Amino acid sequence: MARLRKFLPHLVLALGAFVMLLPFYWMFLTSIRSPAEIFDVSLWPIPKQFEAVANYKRATSQQPMARFMLNGVIVCLGILIVQVLTAVPAAYALAKLKFPGRRLLLLAVIGALCVPIQALALPLFVGLAKAQLLNTYFAMMMPFFLSVFAIFLFHQSFRSYPDEIIEAARLDGYSEMEICWGLVLRGSLPSLAAFAVFSVVAHWNDLYWPMIVVTDTNLAPPPLGMLFFADVESGADYGALMAGAAIITAPMVLCFLLARRHFIAGITMTGVK
């Protein structure tokens, strides 16, 4: 019984991991199969006819996959940089500065977490259209420049930073911005890494907003580029489609593997005061 209790949590986690990873495994398996085996329900990793080279070649030649990936990098990095520049000072002020209305502003931040982008899509689109900014990188990035999730995440992390160190820095002549960026943020790098993973993955995979503001193939990020690819292929060449999906998924998997320790530490730190 004791041995069963020891291994039961691991068994449950293994089953959960299998369910989560199965779609990715199926995607990769389909990308190396021949058209005759696409609908084969077998999960055997070695196909009868290995078509990986042909599928990946068609995925990269029929649509500019490299351009889609570059667009995704530009959009994700642009959003992340501005989000950090705006969220870190706001979170520091809410966590460490005392001023009238601080609690009310924090409640507004928490309330804004409940507002989806779909609720703001129409006024944002109309504003960008009147400013003639559709079909630009700015149009894809602008609605996400201010992240209330980032403010809340950093606020929770900054709360645990010792007030004594901040007071000592003030006595030494440090400005509030120097304390914020040079001391407090440096002590919360795991939270920064965690948010970076959240932000990059969310906007790399975002299809809803780019599909509204972008019609130019040369500006399409990876998910929208795959939609263009599917239109060209009429949904028939599943091997090439899954090869393209595997190509645009690989950077996110690599990003998480490289930052997984900081990611887990950052999520853990937000709950500790």
Side-chain angles (χ1 to χ4, degrees), residues 116-130 132-144 205-216 219-221 223-225 227-228:
I117 182 62
Q118 290 81 2
L120 306 174
L122 182 57
L124 287 171
F125 175 81
V126 172
L128 290 169
K130 289 187 176 181
Q132 297 183 349
L133 291 173
L134 297 179
N135 277 317
T136 62
Y137 289 122
F138 180 80
M140 288 188 283
M141 295 187 290
M142 187 273 290
F144 310 102
N205 295 325
D206 185 24
L207 174 62
Y208 175 79
W209 184 248
M211 188 167 57
I212 293 176
V213 297
V214 170
T215 57
D216 186 354
L219 293 173
L224 186 59
L227 186 63
F228 291 149

Side-chain angles (χ1 to χ4, degrees), residues 186-241:
R186 287 182 62 183
S188 302
L189 291 181
S191 296
L192 178 61
F195 173 71
V197 172
F198 274 121
S199 177
V200 171
V201 171
H203 298 297
W204 183 272
N205 295 325
D206 185 24
L207 174 62
Y208 175 79
W209 184 248
M211 188 167 57
I212 293 176
V213 297
V214 170
T215 57
D216 186 354
T217 305
N218 292 324
L219 293 173
L224 186 59
M226 289 302 299
L227 186 63
F228 291 149
F229 182 87
D231 290 339
V232 172
E233 293 298 317
S234 300
D237 194 349
Y238 293 107
L241 285 172

Side-chain angles (χ1 to χ4, degrees), residues 13-272:
L13 291 174
L15 290 175
F18 174 78
V19 172
M20 295 296 293
L21 293 175
L22 182 60
F24 297 97
Y25 175 73
W26 187 265
M27 174 186 68
F28 175 75
L29 193 60
T30 305
S31 72
I32 64 174
R33 283 177 167 178
S34 64
E37 298 178 74
I38 291 297
F39 297 103
D40 189 351
V41 296
S42 172
L43 296 178
W44 181 249
I46 303 176
K48 298 176 183 178
Q49 186 175 353
F50 194 75
E51 292 284 341
V53 175
N55 288 336
Y56 281 87
K57 184 177 180 180
R58 289 198 302 274
T60 55
S61 61
Q62 294 190 4
Q63 285 292 331
M65 293 296 297
R67 182 68 190 184
F68 297 155
M69 303 278 281
L70 177 61
N71 293 337
V73 171
I74 292 172
V75 171
C76 290
L77 287 183
I79 291 174
L80 177 61
I81 291 171
V82 178
Q83 283 179 334
V84 172
L85 290 176
T86 56
V88 168
Y92 172 75
L94 291 173
K96 293 301 182 181
L97 301 182
K98 297 180 179 180
F99 56 90
R102 184 180 65 167
R103 291 183 179 275
L104 183 61
L105 287 176
L106 182 59
L107 288 175
V109 169
I110 296 174
L113 288 170
C114 303
V115 181
I117 182 62
Q118 290 81 2
L120 306 174
L122 182 57
L124 287 171
F125 175 81
V126 172
L128 290 169
K130 289 187 176 181
Q132 297 183 349
L133 291 173
L134 297 179
N135 277 317
T136 62
Y137 289 122
F138 180 80
M140 288 188 283
M141 295 187 290
M142 187 273 290
F144 310 102
F145 281 161
L146 180 63
S147 171
V148 289
F149 172 71
I151 295 174
F152 180 74
L153 183 69
F154 289 130
H155 170 269
Q156 294 299 99
S157 178
F158 292 171
R159 287 174 59 196
S160 62
Y161 195 85
D163 293 332
E164 294 79 6
I165 298 179
I166 295 177
E167 291 297 332
R170 287 170 180 161
L171 292 175
D172 287 339
Y174 281 69
S175 67
E176 294 297 335
M177 294 301 291
E178 288 174 331
I179 295 172
C180 172
W181 293 101
L183 294 178
V184 179
L185 182 61
R186 287 182 62 183
S188 302
L189 291 181
S191 296
L192 178 61
F195 173 71
V197 172
F198 274 121
S199 177
V200 171
V201 171
H203 298 297
W204 183 272
N205 295 325
D206 185 24
L207 174 62
Y208 175 79
W209 184 248
M211 188 167 57
I212 293 176
V213 297
V214 170
T215 57
D216 186 354
T217 305
N218 292 324
L219 293 173
L224 186 59
M226 289 302 299
L227 186 63
F228 291 149
F229 182 87
D231 290 339
V232 172
E233 293 298 317
S234 300
D237 194 349
Y238 293 107
L241 285 172
M242 291 300 102
I247 291 172
I248 68 174
T249 302
M252 294 299 96
V253 176
L254 181 62
C255 175
F256 178 77
L257 291 177
L258 292 175
R260 66 187 186 278
R261 292 183 180 179
H262 295 296
F263 176 81
I264 295 172
I267 296 301
T268 305
M269 285 177 60
T270 59
V272 179

